[in-house]
Amino acid sequence: MPDTVKILQDYGVSPTPQRIAVAEAVLHAKAHPSADDIWGIVRRQWPTLSRTTVYNTLNLLVGKGVLKPQIIKEGKIVYDPSAEKHHHFVDEKTGEICDIPWEAIRVTGEDALEDFEVLEYQVILRGNRRRR
Amino acid sequence: MPDTVKILQDYGVSPTPQRIAVAEAVLHAKAHPSADDIWGIVRRQWPTLSRTTVYNTLNLLVGKGVLKPQIIKEGKIVYDPSAEKHHHFVDEKTGEICDIPWEAIRVTGEDALEDFEVLEYQVILRGNRRRR
DNA sequence: GTTCGTGCAAACGGTTTGCAACAAT
DNA sequence: ATTGTTGCAAACCGTTTGCACGAAC
C-alpha cells in the first residue's frame, strides 16, 4: 500500500491531515465514489471534517492530476433522437458535442466480457475540433 | 421532413400542441440541446409554454423511446485514480459502475477522424452485470 | 503578518415534485 | 365524473462561492 503522503507530495499538494484522509478514502475506494460518498467514509474517522473541504480537496486533486473526474451518472442531460446510433465527440475547449458516425469507430471485445452482458455502448471522444 | 404528429402517435404519445412544439424543437435541433435549450427554442413561438411542460414532455419522450438522454456534460461526478486507463461499465439496474480493463476493448478509427483531434476517449458500456 | 487551509452558510443551476386549474372524453 | 395535461411555486440535490476564522511558515 503506497504512502498517501508521498503521492500528495509528488503531485505538489501539501499533505494536510484532512487532505490525507480524503486522498486515502478516494484512492482506496473499491467503487467509484462521489464526493458525498467520500465525505461519508472520511467522517467515520473524522466527524468534524466538512463537506466543503472534501470538495476543495477533490477539485485540487483533479487539478493536480491525481484524480480523474468521470461524468457517467445522472446530471446535466442533453437529448438525442434515438433514431441512428452514433458516438460523441466533446470539444475540450468549448464543450461542444458532435456526433461521430457509428461506422467511423469500431469497437471490439465487448462481447467477450464474461461478467457483463453488454446491451449497448458508446465511445466518448474528447479533444480539439479542427476548424478550417 | 416527417410528420411530428405521426411520430408521437407511433410511439403512443397523445399529440397535444405543447408536445408537438417540444418534439419539433428537439427532433429538428442540429446540436445536442438541453432541456433549457429546448425551452428557449419553443418559447420563441410559444411564450406561455412552461419549463415544467418541457421537462414533462422530454421525460415522456425518453420513456417512450423517442429520445435518448445523454450524460456527457457536467453533472454528478465520480472519481477515479488517474493511474491506469480503463473503460466503464454501468449496470442498468443498479447504476453500479465497474472498471473494464483497457486491453479488453479495442477501439479503432479514432485517429482517422479528419475534423477532430482526439486526445482521449473511453467506452461506456451499459447492460446487466452477471452475478453467479 | 501574510499566505494557505478549513469550514460554515448561502447561493447556484438543472431537475423533480406537489398541487391546483383545466381540458377532454 | 374520471382521466390526462398543463404550469406555477417550491423542494431537491450535487456543487460552488463568499467570507471569516485559524494554522503555519
Side-chain angles (χ1 to χ4, degrees), chain A residues 1 8 13 20 31 33 35 42 48-49 56 64 68 75 96 104 116 118:
Chain A
M1 187 177 295
L8 293 178
V13 177
I20 296 168
V42 170
T48 66
L49 198 151
N56 285 342
K64 295 291 190 178
K68 204 161 167 28
E96 180 191 15
F116 306 101
V118 175

Side-chain angles (χ1 to χ4, degrees), chain A residues 16 18-19 50 52-53 77:
Chain A
T16 69
Q18 288 93 329
R19 287 172 178 172
S50 77
T52 308
T53 295
I77 298 168

Side-chain angles (χ1 to χ4, degrees), chain A residues 58-91:
Chain A
L58 290 173
N59 287 336
L60 181 63
L61 295 181
V62 169
K64 295 291 190 178
V66 186
L67 300 177
K68 204 161 167 28
Q70 301 285 350
I71 306 159
I72 298 183
K73 308 189 93 162
E74 66 281 349
K76 190 176 190 179
I77 298 168
V78 298
Y79 297 88
D80 260 343
S82 37
E84 35 17 279
K85 299 175 80 170
H86 50 266
H87 302 292
H88 287 100
F89 176 92
V90 184
D91 188 292

Side-chain angles (χ1 to χ4, degrees), chain A residues 32 65-66 68 70-71 73-74 78 80 82 99 106 108 114-115 117 119-120 122 126 128 130, chain B residues 32 65-66 68 70-71 73 78 80 82 99 106 108 115 117 119-120 124 126 128 130 132:
Chain A
H32 295 71
V66 186
K68 204 161 167 28
Q70 301 285 350
I71 306 159
K73 308 189 93 162
E74 66 281 349
V78 298
D80 260 343
S82 37
D99 288 349
R106 164 156 298 124
T108 52
E114 297 209 338
D115 294 338
E117 179 196 2
L119 299 175
E120 59 169 78
Q122 72 158 307
R126 292 174 195 274
N128 302 120
R130 285 195 250 268
Chain B
H32 295 73
V66 185
K68 205 159 166 25
Q70 301 286 351
I71 305 159
K73 309 188 91 160
V78 297
D80 260 342
S82 37
D99 289 349
R106 175 157 43 255
T108 51
D115 294 338
E117 178 195 4
L119 299 176
E120 59 169 78
I124 297 184
R126 293 174 195 272
N128 302 120
R130 285 196 252 267
R132 47 248 162 110

